[in-house]
Every structure is written in C-alpha cells, then in structure tokens.
Amino acid sequence: GDWQDHADVPLGERYEKYDIEILDAAIPVRTLTSEAPTCFYPATQQVSDFGAVQTSLTVRIMQLSDTVGRGQPLTVTL
C-alpha cells in the first residue's frame, strides 16, 4: 500500500478500461470507453446529445473487468 516508488499499484486485471455513461435524467444518452482514468466528451457530442454545450453533466462510471464485466457504478455530477 505504500506509494514509495510513485508507480500505481497493479489493478489485478489484464487491462485498465472504463465505461462512462453520460446521463440525461438518469437515462444514458451516450457511452464512452476509456483506457485511462480520464475521458474527453467534446462539445460536438454534447450538442448532438443535448442540443447545447452543458454547464454540468451527470455521469455513471464503471471499471471493466475480464472476470466481472462492468464493476459497481459510481454516479457523479461534474
């Protein structure tokens, strides 16, 4: 658990991957996949999904696993 070498602890998975659902009133309007703990949701996609660029977004994030599939979701408003 110590972060002495400044390297991340292995995830216990073959890859690091996440599904990010963009929500509109708890309903997914788009699902993005990322191979890092970051994700980009450009203005063009926001306009396509909502009709305008959003000032805040509610998203549901799930880590993907070889053995489990989607993990427990985390829902946050950004």
Side-chain angles (χ1 to χ4, degrees):
D2 290 338
W3 197 45
Q4 296 175 355
D5 63 357
H6 302 287
D8 290 333
V9 176
L11 297 171
E13 299 287 343
R14 291 184 321 140
Y15 54 81
E16 182 173 10
K17 200 172 209 180
Y18 303 90
D19 272 352
I20 302 96
E21 293 180 338
I22 309 299
L23 304 177
D24 184 6
I27 298 170
V29 294
R30 182 179 297 269
T31 301
L32 306 170
T33 301
S34 178
E35 294 180 357
T38 59
C39 183
F40 184 66
Y41 182 44
T44 55
Q45 290 179 349
Q46 293 177 46
V47 170
S48 175
D49 295 341
F50 294 100
V53 173
Q54 302 298 287
T55 58
S56 68
L57 291 167
T58 302
V59 298
R60 184 179 301 133
I61 306 162
M62 293 139 297
Q63 184 177 354
L64 300 177
S65 166
D66 281 339
T67 56
V68 178
R70 283 182 163 183
Q72 293 294 320
L74 170 67
T75 303
V76 295
T77 300
L78 309 169

